[in-house]
Amino acid sequence: MRKEFVRIMRIWSQTLLPPVITSSLYFIVFGGFIGSQLAPIDGYSYMQFIVPGLIMMSVITSAYTNTVSTFYFAKFVRNIEEILVSPTPDWVVVAGFVSGGVMRGLMVGALVLVVSLFFTHLAIFNIAVLLAVILLTAILFSLAGLINGVFAKGFDGISIVPTFVLTPLTYLGGIFYSIEQFPQFWQNVSLANPILYMVNAFRYGFLGITDISLWICFAVLLGMSLFFILVVLYLFREGIGVKH
Amino acid sequence: MPAVSVKNLRKVYQGGAEALRGVTLEVEEGDFFALLGPNGAGKTTLIGIVTSLINKTSGEVSVFDMDIDKNRSLAKTCIGLVPQEFNFNIFEKVEDIITTQAGYYGIPLVQAKKDAEPILKDLGLWEKKGETSQNLSGGMKRRLMIARALIHHPKLLILDEPTAGVDVEMRHSMWNFLRRINAEGTTIILTTHYLEEAEQLSRNVAIINKGTILVNEPTKQLLARYGEKNLEQIYLDLIKAENI
Ligand SMILES: Nc1ncnc2c1ncn2[C@@H]1O[C@H](COP(=O)(O)OP(=O)(O)OP(=O)(O)O)[C@@H](O)[C@H]1O
Ligand SMILES: [Mg+2]
């Protein structure tokens, strides 16, 4: 874990800066130019409405790409063997990689939050919900990145999922709109997207508004995290992707 | 008590390559054991299974009477591995590589630093402790892998071609180092393509070819049986006879 932190700090310019720049662009383009043309949602300006989602989005992508790339790289240069020959229990190894992803996710999230304050003002409605949601989300996507890293067979394999699954899901996850603005059919489709629940619960933490009940959001987050933990521990026990 | 006991070990890789075809082998505690064989004979595969880097297809392996399936983490603490291929974290400095590895064995940082000093000095790496592994020469990297394998004071040291690419002088000092730690009680298993090295160092020797053990006896006995010939000539005869 300390090792992860050191690694992150060493390459912070690569790992922390790009997400912040991307988010700033979103703020300017969507929040600033387009948002000024849109009607307020639930009494909040469009900018205020999208900020929680944008923070969430950067946390998700950062946590995910951190674990998938660290794990894949360790596998690629065989450095993972240092751990495999040692008696380190699987759960500790998982915790190490996941905490690296969580740390990077939260650091990026915090930076995006700071940047967003240049564009709008934010009140915090419920800090406990806010922190719990962001932490769980970071854990969940770190785990997901780890699973991806286990199966990745090449450098392509670490970018396919983020590009073709993660990005569309985050875009459709209610970051830029409230699903109540959708026709019923698309509302139902959206409900199948786990990211929707996280974005809504997170937005609740800031604004106190959500499309979905908080309990369901937390159930989805906890349920998925638990499921991913079990999957990861199984993959590690069998040595899938690392032991021939 | 045997340091390593292997019974009827088989390994078929996913592509169908049969690397080990029923290997049975015992290495006594305190032994200096040479495992010889041509490229692709199955040496690294055998070592990989004993050190939990490779999953076996069938058979039994125990280390100091601990079955690696039932008592894996205890078995792992007894082994130090010097792998055939470099597998460092290329960003880490020499000293950090050692202390990180120590961490995987649960040794606290302060203790690890203390323990690392004599090992690095013995292997002539103390001056290089602040260097990243990328900046070391091939022979220094080999020595660094030995240092890393010894940080948790294993009872069994397994070296997979530790002297490949090491200059003559350094090879001799490595031999002396290995002789010394063997005399101090560490069991050593060594693979090498330098038959002279095996002849000089080993008390017992096994020759493996195409996944099958051809010879397994005390080095002196093998040499005596063939009269005038040295180990290299005996080895060539045996492998040639096998390939006809
Ligand atoms: N990951 C792998 N997947 C498939 N086949 C493999 C794998 N690793 C090794 N093999 C095959 O298993 C056989 C034994 O390989 P191994 O690496 O154990 O040989 P070796 O005795 O260590 O050879 P060398 O002296 O060249 O290091 C070879 O035929 C090799 O091609
Ligand atoms: Mg080999």
Side-chain angles (χ1 to χ4, degrees):
Chain A
M1 184 168 155
R2 189 182 61 90
K3 191 174 142 192
E4 283 300 294
F5 190 76
V6 171
R7 192 189 82 93
I8 294 164
M9 292 321 285
R10 183 155 26 204
I11 52 173
W12 74 275
S13 53
Q14 293 157 47
T15 56
L16 294 182
L17 228 45
V20 174
I21 293 171
T22 320
S23 305
S24 307
L25 285 173
Y26 280 120
F27 289 134
I28 295 167
V29 175
F30 286 97
F33 297 155
I34 303 177
S36 56
Q37 314 293 316
L38 294 177
I41 301 174
D42 287 335
Y44 289 100
S45 79
Y46 188 62
M47 182 71 103
Q48 287 172 319
F49 183 82
I50 65 170
V51 164
L54 288 177
I55 295 173
M56 195 59 131
M57 187 166 91
S58 57
V59 170
I60 287 174
T61 357
S62 304
Y64 190 95
T65 45
N66 183 278
T67 47
V68 68
S69 54
T70 331
F71 190 81
Y72 178 72
F73 191 67
K75 208 167 82 168
F76 182 71
V77 300
R78 293 162 154 266
N79 189 236
I80 192 81
E81 290 178 356
E82 284 185 350
I83 298 173
L84 293 180
V85 297
S86 79
T88 315
D90 290 344
W91 71 267
V92 173
V93 182
V94 172
F97 278 101
V98 168
S99 54
V102 168
M103 236 185 296
R104 168 151 165 218
L106 295 186
M107 275 156 73
V108 170
L111 275 175
V112 174
L113 173 66
V114 169
V115 170
S116 74
L117 294 178
F118 289 113
F119 297 93
T120 183
H121 62 94
L122 278 173
I124 290 175
F125 183 76
N126 185 332
I127 188 125
V129 169
L130 204 71
L131 293 177
V133 172
I134 204 70
L135 189 64
L136 277 171
T137 306
I139 291 174
L140 179 58
F141 282 92
S142 299
L143 286 164
L146 202 49
I147 295 174
N148 188 174
V150 166
F151 287 107
K153 291 227 160 63
F155 282 100
D156 289 345
I158 66 176
S159 59
I160 287 178
V161 176
T163 315
F164 292 105
V165 181
L166 222 49
T167 311
L169 280 185
T170 42
Y171 277 67
L172 300 173
I175 293 178
F176 299 113
Y177 48 81
S178 159
I179 59 166
E180 279 165 13
Q181 296 165 304
F182 271 17
Q184 188 60 43
F185 174 74
W186 289 108
Q187 279 194 31
N188 292 340
V189 172
S190 297
L191 288 177
N193 179 358
I195 293 175
L196 181 78
Y197 298 86
M198 301 163 203
V199 170
N200 270 283
F202 193 55
R203 186 179 288 135
Y204 176 87
F206 276 112
L207 308 179
I209 55 167
T210 172
D211 294 341
I212 302 155
S213 142
L214 264 192
W215 292 113
I216 298 178
C217 293
F218 273 105
V220 169
L221 260 172
L222 283 170
M224 285 186 70
S225 303
L226 196 64
F227 175 70
F228 281 6
I229 287 173
L230 294 177
V231 171
V232 167
L233 287 177
Y234 170 78
L235 294 174
F236 272 61
R237 201 188 66 202
E238 300 294 315
I240 290 169
V242 288
K243 292 190 194 177
H244 291 284
Chain B
M1 189 193 347
V4 176
S5 160
V6 171
K7 286 199 193 85
N8 220 349
L9 188 63
R10 300 184 152 274
K11 174 64 189 182
V12 182
Y13 280 104
Q14 244 152 33
E18 220 180 329
L20 298 175
R21 305 168 189 243
V23 168
T24 299
L25 198 70
E26 257 187 27
V27 176
E28 271 307 312
E29 186 167 5
D31 202 354
F32 202 129
F33 189 96
L35 180 64
L36 310 176
N39 291 139
K43 303 179 295 294
T44 300
T45 305
L46 178 57
I47 289 171
I49 293 171
V50 173
T51 54
S52 301
L53 289 178
I54 298 175
N55 287 326
K56 60 182 159 58
T57 306
S58 67
E60 283 169 37
V61 178
S62 59
V63 177
F64 296 101
D65 279 346
M66 290 175 286
D67 189 300
I68 60 160
D69 293 324
K70 296 181 195 123
N71 241 330
R72 191 176 289 265
S73 58
L74 269 180
K76 280 172 165 180
T77 44
C78 299
I79 308 176
L81 172 68
V82 178
Q84 180 172 3
E85 318 252 359
F86 301 125
N87 61 357
F88 302 117
N89 176 342
I90 53 171
F91 304 112
E92 254 180 337
K93 293 195 172 74
V94 167
E95 193 180 24
D96 297 339
I97 287 174
I98 311 273
T99 52
T100 301
Q101 186 71 15
Y104 295 144
Y105 290 86
I107 303 165
L109 186 61
V110 183
Q111 181 70 37
K113 281 197 165 158
K114 223 186 284 165
D115 292 356
E117 186 173 340
I119 297 174
L120 286 173
K121 280 182 173 159
D122 274 345
L123 287 160
L125 289 169
W126 184 243
E127 281 74 45
K128 299 277 175 188
K129 68 177 170 138
E131 208 73 67
T132 58
S133 64
Q134 275 172 309
N135 297 345
L136 297 183
S137 76
M140 290 173 191
K141 285 183 198 162
R142 292 260 165 236
R143 282 180 275 150
L144 177 54
M145 291 213 289
I146 298 179
R148 183 181 62 184
L150 289 173
I151 188 64
H152 62 291
H153 307 292
K155 291 202 283 181
L156 168 65
L157 179 65
I158 304 180
L159 306 108
D160 200 350
E161 298 189 27
T163 50
V166 173
D167 72 47
V168 183
E169 202 190 340
M170 190 42 74
R171 188 176 311 157
H172 280 266
S173 86
M174 239 173 183
W175 289 359
N176 287 333
F177 178 76
L178 293 178
R179 280 199 190 99
R180 196 188 90 206
I181 61 170
N182 179 241
E184 285 166 6
T186 310
T187 310
I188 294 181
I189 298 176
L190 168 91
T191 82
T192 178
H193 290 296
Y194 300 106
L195 278 292
E196 185 214 346
E197 182 168 291
E199 190 170 336
Q200 291 267 336
L201 293 172
S202 70
R203 212 162 302 142
N204 286 283
V205 59
I207 299 177
I208 182 172
N209 188 29
K210 297 175 187 157
T212 313
I213 301 279
L214 299 182
V215 172
N216 179 9
E217 60 184 303
T219 316
K220 280 196 185 125
Q221 187 181 317
L222 179 67
L223 289 166
R225 210 146 51 80
Y226 282 80
E228 294 294 283
K229 292 182 175 172
N230 66 19
L231 189 57
E232 185 150 338
Q233 288 162 326
I234 298 169
Y235 173 91
L236 286 172
D237 285 357
L238 281 166
I239 301 289
K240 217 179 280 166
E242 182 74 5
N243 288 347
I244 289 171

